[in-house]
Amino acid sequence: MVDLLLGLQWGDEGKGKIVDVLTKDYDIIARFQGGPNAGHTLEFDGIKHVLHTIPSGIFHKNAINVVGNGVVIDPVIFKKELDNLEKFDIDIISKLFISRKAHLILPTHRLLDAASEAAKGKAKIGSTLKGIGPTYMDKTGRNGMRVGDLEFENWKEKYRALADKHEAMIGFYNVDIQYDLTELEAEFYEGVATLKQLKFIDSEEYIFKAQDEGKKILAEGAQGSLLDIDFGTYPFVTSSNTTAAGACTGLGVAPNKIGRVLGIFKAYTTRVGSGPFPTELFDNDGETMGRVGNEFGATTGRPRRCGWLDLVALKYAVQINGVTELMMMKGDVLSGFKTLKLCTAYKYKGEEIQHLPYNIESENVTPVYKEMKGWAKDLTQLTKAEELPPALNDYIAFLEEQLNVPIKIVSVGPDRTQTIHR
Ligand code: GDP
Ligand code: IMO
Ligand code: MG
């Protein structure tokens, strides 16, 4: 069986932290979609690590980490990630395997991303500009370059043909994008050389055999359900299936081999980049969440937009993913709020609805809030469920009742140790 860990909101729920916490119980941690648009933060022993492509189990000796076929890899960023790990005495070669079927992000994919965003002007997605959209477009358009291509001698010819085509495409956008391709290519080749030092595998076969041998596997999602290409707030989404089904296609795991589905959410909501966000706050409360929660993008450093927990959206994500257990992150950030609000319905065309309509732009939906009492207690030093303040227990109980799924972990700080199991 393969367990899944998925973000249920607009990303940055704390997936990296929880994967790191759970890795001791698993033999394999596998990423199945997304690419270096992800920024997964782990904190332990006073050090903060941010991973983009490498699975968050990499710091544990017991686990193998797999970058699955559904992931898109930028060799340049990948090399930087590996360089950052150098000082940590990790046997990367024997701990990190890459799927031959994963697609490569070329420097020109990044340029195309920038050109596309510039051409959209105000309607831009707010992409991380890591080339994600153009790379998945080449994948589904059947033009992409894959990791396995690097094992052939002529890979540079393939690269050249694709990069030349991209350059012509950049011209079509008719926007001013400055770049020095020679420089970008030198960096790319260097990245490819580093990537080629790793073991390339047929990851679907590897995962299949591992299951046969009874190994415990955890699939690590990137982004969040509301950024899913099909079910998210399209077009303000990423270009992959971030939901449970993405693990089937992104690793080659059959649907009947999925075990637990661990859904992770923040006790409030954040979003980075453009797009609708019904419970977004523009007042002191939102400012407090951002400041106390240190809500800045782990990949781009952009401030994250903050708002109350949106139960309508969360229910939708629980439903799409078939979540079996929930994990609530950043409860500590809400300490000190006298009153907490929870969006339990939307006002939509004069009616109250409890599902996500086609369009959740603020002119279409108005959140309906339930108010709950807050708690003053600092949670960051707590280690046991019994120590949680009564108002937080009420908040949790209400969520469990609404979502009909148990909340098994309450996270009270960024460190590995600040994790309460219930
Ligand atoms: P990911 O993309 O889902 O892995 O999440 P990010 O790493 O992008 O963002 C989560 C941020 O919240 C990181 O800075 C984490 O260190 C931090 N974090 C995770 N859990 C908690 C928590 O329970 N409390 C607080 N205060 N910070 C947390
Ligand atoms: P993790 O894994 C939060 C957002 C971007 C933008 C949209 C499209 O750290 O949770 P893309 O670069 O994919 O073309 O951007 O999606 N986005 C994320 N937001 N966390 C992420 O990943 C994200 N990855 C992409 O901000 O709005
Ligand atoms: Mg993140």
Side-chain angles (χ1 to χ4, degrees), residues 23-312:
T23 299
K24 62 175 177 23
D25 301 326
Y26 288 93
D27 302 302
I28 298 171
I29 308 294
R31 272 279 302 269
F32 60 89
Q33 46 67 237
N37 48 349
H40 295 181
T41 314
L42 291 69
E43 266 189 58
F44 52 87
D45 302 339
I47 307 177
K48 175 172 161 174
H49 308 270
V50 180
L51 298 168
H52 301 286
T53 326
I54 297 173
S56 302
I58 198 70
F59 293 99
H60 291 257
K61 291 218 172 354
N62 61 299
I64 297 288
N65 290 260
V66 173
V67 177
N69 58 278
V71 176
V72 291
I73 302 175
D74 184 334
V76 178
I77 296 177
F78 190 76
K79 179 179 183 311
K80 284 190 193 140
E81 278 189 75
L82 284 182
D83 289 349
N84 286 340
L85 291 180
E86 236 166 41
K87 49 185 175 292
F88 295 105
D89 183 34
I90 300 168
D91 181 5
I92 290 289
I93 305 291
S94 62
K95 308 279 332 160
L96 179 61
F97 302 155
I98 315 288
S99 167
R100 289 196 173 87
K101 295 191 175 75
H103 278 245
L104 291 170
I105 302 177
L106 312 189
T108 42
H109 281 129
R110 286 200 306 267
L111 298 172
L112 279 168
D113 210 358
S116 165
E117 285 284 81
K120 283 192 164 139
K122 272 200 181 137
K124 72 174 183 188
I125 310 290
S127 154
T128 60
L129 300 179
K130 303 296 177 196
I132 304 297
T135 306
Y136 279 112
M137 277 162 75
D138 268 341
K139 174 178 178 174
T140 51
R142 297 159 297 180
N143 297 310
M145 251 189 96
R146 301 191 290 178
V147 166
D149 291 333
L150 301 174
E151 292 176 319
F152 292 90
E153 274 189 5
N154 70 344
W155 73 267
K156 281 194 181 167
E157 288 164 35
K158 197 163 182 172
Y159 163 75
R160 183 80 276 136
L162 193 52
D164 286 350
K165 189 172 115 184
H166 289 160
E167 277 216 280
M169 287 164 71
I170 292 165
F172 281 123
Y173 281 103
N174 201 20
V175 289
D176 186 25
I177 299 285
Q178 303 287 332
Y179 60 91
D180 177 347
L181 194 54
T182 316
E183 209 174 280
L184 295 173
E185 275 174 358
E187 208 181 39
F188 179 72
Y189 290 150
E190 220 182 296
V192 167
T194 302
L195 185 62
K196 285 177 80 170
Q197 288 168 13
L198 296 192
K199 189 167 170 190
F200 297 164
I201 60 169
D202 298 314
S203 58
E204 64 282 18
E205 190 63 22
Y206 181 83
I207 300 276
F208 181 77
K209 281 202 178 126
Q211 289 181 78
D212 236 20
E213 289 161 13
K215 297 256 163 69
K216 291 199 71 186
I217 304 165
L218 179 66
E220 173 180 1
Q223 290 80 52
S225 298
L226 301 175
L227 289 170
D228 182 277
I229 183 71
D230 284 283
F231 300 109
T233 46
Y234 193 88
F236 301 100
V237 293
T238 190
S239 298
S240 63
N241 281 116
T242 58
T243 44
C248 296
T249 57
L251 286 173
V253 177
N256 62 348
K257 296 292 188 293
I258 304 287
R260 298 157 69 197
V261 181
L262 315 175
I264 171 166
F265 68 100
K266 278 180 193 167
Y268 48 100
T269 311
T270 65
R271 167 161 213 175
V272 63
S274 335
F277 179 177
T279 62
E280 183 169 14
L281 291 169
F282 301 94
D283 60 5
N284 284 340
D285 287 343
E287 191 274 330
T288 304
M289 289 171 189
R291 181 171 35 81
V292 179
N294 193 22
E295 295 294 357
F296 294 93
T299 294
T300 58
R302 292 178 292 179
R304 297 178 183 141
R305 302 153 63 191
C306 298
W308 297 116
L309 189 61
D310 183 341
L311 269 173
V312 181

Side-chain angles (χ1 to χ4, degrees), residues 19 33 63 89 152 233 247 250 318 322 337 345 357 360 397 418 422:
V19 170
Q33 46 67 237
D89 183 34
F152 292 90
T233 46
V318 166
F337 279 92
I360 62 161
Q418 293 172 300
R422 295 173 81 236

